[in-house]
Amino acid sequence: MLKYFFKRLLHGIPVLFVVATLTFIIMRLVPGGPFDQEKKLPPEILANIEAKYHLDQSVGVQYLFYLKQLVHGDMGPSYKYIGRDVTDIILDTFPVSITLGLLAMLIVVGIGVPVGVWSAYRQNSIVDQVFMFFATLGISIPSFVLGTILVWVMSNKLQWLPPALWEGPRYMILPAIALGAPFTGYVARLIRSTVLEVLASDYIRTARAKGLTETTILLKHTLKNSIFPVISVLGPLTAGLVTGSFVIEFIFSIPGMGSFFITAVTNRDYPLIMGVTLVYAVLIVVANIFVDMIYMWLDPRVRL
Amino acid sequence: MNILTKLSFGFLGVVFFSAVFAPLVAPYSYETQDTLNTLAIPSFSHLMGTDRLGRDLFSRIIYGARVSLFIGVLTTLLALLIGTIYGSISGYVGGRTDNLMMRIVDIVFALPDMLMIILITVMMGQGVIGIFVALTLVSWVTIARLVRGEVLRLREQAYVEAARALGANSLRIVVREILPNILDLMVVTLTFRIPVAILAESTLSFIGLGIAPPFSSWGTLANEGWKAIKFYPHLILFPSLAIFLTILSFNFLGDWCRDYLDPRKKSLI
């Protein structure tokens, strides 16, 4: 297993290289530079700053220089947060984003799976229709709209929960719901369809004929066999949660990687843009490896 | 066809009609300023109220529909076209070519897509074209994978073999024999991908990295409303409602489409 993990990680390296190169190219094609200001800097000072960050050299040289730095585990200094390294900023913001993502994931799996299973079990009943209606609402509502509604109702009107910032568990509830809801609807719909398929299969009929209780049939025989499609979408789902969080971080003023990415793009803070993009890419690669490993672990037929 | 599907059809019909004939439908132009009535709440003269500059929100939403729908529909169509061509070649030719082509798809898949869309949009100057290109560049891969899988399955079918025996060339086989058989799948994909594109565009515009003025989409309008949410919640309510109802209608329509075109898979996702 461990060998497999490292082998896959090795395969991820070319992908990360492509991500780094593409980001570098696109970033440099973006009009405007990091030190453009309303009031123009004196040319001597600008030249000095540019020399300090190697911006006076050709783009090709800068690219090679960045790669060399990166291989040494150094992502360079931020252009806007003077005196701070990109690595510092990421170490500060990464835990925030990952906490938000994991909480949302908890909601997605904790609510999406039971709702989907129950809907399928009571197919076409009122419960099923209500659940599926809400699931479709869930996948249709943009997270920024849901976030806005939550802030408006829970914070502005009822004043139950704080509308912004990140200073304790109370601050995490609204953002996690806003981030998780669309994916919860998606998972509920997905698992409902696979459970329906499994429930119609011969071995469930056999299980019923044997006289097993409905609970055993549902939890042991059905759920176990219908969870695979959900696991296979967990990879893209994680990616969606992770990269989708920047809107939520924007709305709730959460100091996570997403907020920093948005300001970095606006500021043309090249090293920070690179750093955040790369960390996201690593996250996606690792998440996919984990998903495949869970798959192998649950289904002995899958061998790689 | 149930009541929800009919409502969705009706709603999308009205939205598309208003978008196309915006100058005829909208009571005001999108830039007319009613300076005596700035930040007005909804009333008979301004159905959805007015913004900071006294512009009629209802009219701005109708004009915004042009941008939002244009991006949603056209990027999806283009992604479908690219994805289908790419996926058919990869699936039909197979072997090494397939391997290489799918490797490229894998890499695009591994990109943090929203970040790439942001960078490309900003690079191309935050206009309609920029976001159009950005969305297309990251969304064709999903379709390419889907089409490739289907082509791979269908190319071994007896009728394809028959066509080959009759001397049909590869292009003819793909276009005349294989693609018509995945048309259903493509229609369903189209209805489910359009709302995804609309969502992506509005999200970007909402955080201020999508469409920049003078153009405005529903996302841009929601962004303007967000800044005034405390005292003028109607400014964010109506654009959000427009986005939400449009996406919802597309999803209901997609569900119906899928059940209708493939009764065997009724009520699967």
Side-chain angles (χ1 to χ4, degrees):
Chain A
M1 209 61 141
L2 209 62
K3 201 176 139 206
Y4 172 76
F5 178 77
F6 284 111
K7 201 177 128 204
R8 283 285 304 271
L9 216 52
L10 221 60
H11 281 294
I13 290 175
V15 174
L16 294 179
F17 175 74
V18 173
V19 172
T21 310
L22 267 181
T23 315
F24 196 91
I25 296 171
I26 297 172
M27 210 165 63
R28 290 311 164 99
L29 289 173
V30 172
F35 303 108
D36 295 350
Q37 295 169 3
E38 300 250 326
K39 195 167 155 252
K40 270 221 153 64
L41 288 169
E44 302 82 18
I45 295 180
L46 192 65
N48 253 337
I49 295 177
E50 290 193 333
K52 183 185 171 204
Y53 294 124
H54 309 280
L55 288 172
D56 51 346
Q57 271 141 346
S58 72
V59 177
V61 175
Q62 289 179 43
Y63 172 66
L64 291 177
F65 182 79
Y66 185 83
L67 282 188
K68 198 179 136 206
Q69 229 184 4
L70 195 66
V71 175
H72 288 93
D74 181 9
M75 298 203 230
S78 159
Y79 291 167
K80 283 287 153 172
Y81 302 92
I82 306 289
R84 292 191 73 186
D85 277 345
V86 171
T87 321
D88 274 357
I89 295 178
I90 284 174
L91 284 178
D92 277 353
T93 54
F94 181 77
V96 175
S97 293
I98 208 81
T99 312
L100 179 60
L102 286 179
L103 282 176
M105 186 60 107
L106 210 67
I107 293 176
V108 172
V109 177
I111 295 178
V113 172
V115 162
V117 172
W118 195 248
S119 266
Y121 188 62
R122 293 259 174 264
Q123 192 194 1
N124 296 332
S125 70
I126 290 291
V127 181
D128 175 30
Q129 285 176 12
V130 170
F131 274 175
M132 281 308 114
F133 182 74
F134 275 100
T136 312
L137 283 194
I139 58 169
S140 305
I141 195 161
S143 52
F144 69 86
V145 172
L146 185 60
T148 317
I149 296 173
L150 288 174
V151 168
W152 171 248
V153 176
M154 303 301 277
S155 308
N156 285 11
K157 288 288 139 189
L158 298 172
Q159 307 209 323
W160 284 352
L161 291 164
L165 299 179
W166 191 256
E167 288 164 356
R170 270 164 50 79
Y171 291 79
M172 301 176 181
I173 301 171
L174 296 185
I177 294 175
L179 181 58
F183 299 97
T184 311
Y186 179 72
V187 165
R189 281 163 58 104
L190 180 67
I191 199 145
R192 175 178 180 273
S193 69
T194 56
V195 168
L196 277 181
E197 219 168 315
V198 173
L199 280 177
S201 63
D202 289 341
Y203 59 85
I204 295 298
R205 199 174 49 190
T206 312
R208 285 226 166 87
K210 278 200 304 191
L212 294 181
T213 63
E214 286 293 298
T215 329
T216 319
I217 291 173
L218 208 54
L219 292 184
K220 211 173 155 198
H221 295 252
T222 310
L223 190 59
K224 220 173 157 184
N225 283 297
S226 47
I227 204 81
F228 290 108
V230 176
I231 291 173
S232 60
V233 299
L234 274 184
L237 210 73
T238 318
L241 280 178
V242 166
T243 53
S245 75
F246 68 94
V247 196
I248 301 300
E249 291 177 14
F250 173 81
I251 293 180
F252 292 93
S253 311
I254 296 170
M257 284 203 301
S259 324
F260 275 81
F261 181 77
I262 296 175
T263 33
V265 170
T266 324
N267 288 335
R268 310 282 186 271
D269 193 341
Y270 298 142
L272 193 52
I273 298 178
M274 272 307 253
V276 174
T277 312
L278 280 176
V279 173
Y280 276 142
V282 172
L283 258 176
I284 294 174
V285 167
V286 172
N288 279 322
I289 300 176
F290 272 119
V291 167
D292 286 350
M293 283 169 70
I294 295 174
Y295 217 109
M296 276 165 63
W297 177 62
L298 280 178
D299 189 350
R301 283 169 304 182
V302 180
R303 280 281 162 259
L304 294 162
Chain B
M1 200 187 233
N2 62 19
I3 182 80
L4 285 174
T5 319
K6 281 180 194 155
L7 282 175
S8 305
F9 251 125
F11 180 75
L12 288 180
V14 170
V15 173
F16 268 94
F17 181 83
S18 336
V20 173
F21 298 102
L24 300 175
V25 180
Y28 301 87
S29 121
Y30 60 96
E31 47 187 6
T32 312
Q33 297 183 9
D34 185 350
T35 40
L36 294 175
N37 267 322
T38 56
L39 290 166
I41 55 165
S43 64
F44 280 114
S45 57
H46 297 287
L47 284 177
M48 296 180 180
T50 58
D51 69 1
R52 203 164 40 85
L53 298 172
R55 294 175 296 192
D56 182 54
L57 187 58
F58 182 54
S59 310
R60 283 174 70 73
I61 283 185
I62 290 175
Y63 278 95
R66 285 185 157 182
V67 176
S68 295
L69 290 179
F70 174 84
I71 288 173
V73 174
L74 242 63
T75 49
T76 313
L77 280 176
L78 191 60
L80 196 71
L81 184 72
I82 298 174
T84 305
I85 294 174
Y86 193 94
S88 323
I89 295 175
S90 186
Y92 191 78
V93 176
R96 249 207 212 135
T97 321
D98 181 38
N99 255 335
L100 181 72
M101 287 176 89
M102 280 304 118
R103 192 85 194 110
I104 295 173
V105 167
D106 285 343
I107 289 176
V108 180
F109 246 106
L111 298 175
D113 49 1
M114 273 318 248
L115 307 194
M116 287 297 150
I117 295 175
I118 291 179
L119 283 176
I120 297 171
T121 310
V122 175
M123 171 184 98
M124 299 195 59
Q126 293 192 252
V128 176
I129 301 298
I131 205 155
F132 176 74
V133 171
L135 280 174
T136 311
L137 280 181
V138 296
S139 57
W140 65 273
V141 283
T142 323
I143 293 157
R145 245 190 201 175
L146 202 71
V147 170
R148 175 200 171 249
E150 287 297 299
V151 170
L152 217 52
R153 186 173 65 83
L154 290 174
R155 71 167 188 190
E156 305 300 337
Q157 298 285 318
Y159 60 82
V160 174
E161 211 173 313
R164 207 175 288 133
L166 285 171
N169 62 21
S170 302
L171 184 69
R172 195 192 155 89
I173 291 176
V174 171
V175 176
R176 297 292 296 272
E177 308 292 336
I178 295 181
L179 288 187
N181 280 296
I182 58 173
L183 199 63
D184 291 2
L185 182 76
M186 277 152 70
V187 171
V188 176
T189 311
L190 192 68
T191 33
F192 279 124
R193 296 295 301 184
I194 290 175
V196 173
I198 294 180
L199 176 68
E201 181 277 319
S202 58
T203 305
L204 286 199
S205 300
F206 177 75
I207 57 166
L209 292 175
I211 307 276
F215 290 105
S216 62
S217 70
W218 290 337
T220 334
L221 294 174
N223 170 276
E224 288 167 17
W226 167 250
K227 292 171 187 155
I229 184 170
K230 259 214 159 111
F231 303 107
Y232 308 101
H234 66 276
L235 287 182
I236 189 166
L237 175 71
F238 292 111
S240 303
L241 216 56
I243 300 167
F244 169 60
L245 289 178
T246 305
I247 295 179
L248 187 67
S249 302
F250 270 114
N251 280 330
F252 278 135
L253 214 60
D255 284 348
W256 172 77
C257 241
R258 185 200 48 215
D259 293 349
Y260 180 80
L261 291 173
D262 190 359
R264 190 173 50 82
K265 280 196 190 150
K266 199 163 174 56
S267 69
L268 294 188
I269 186 162

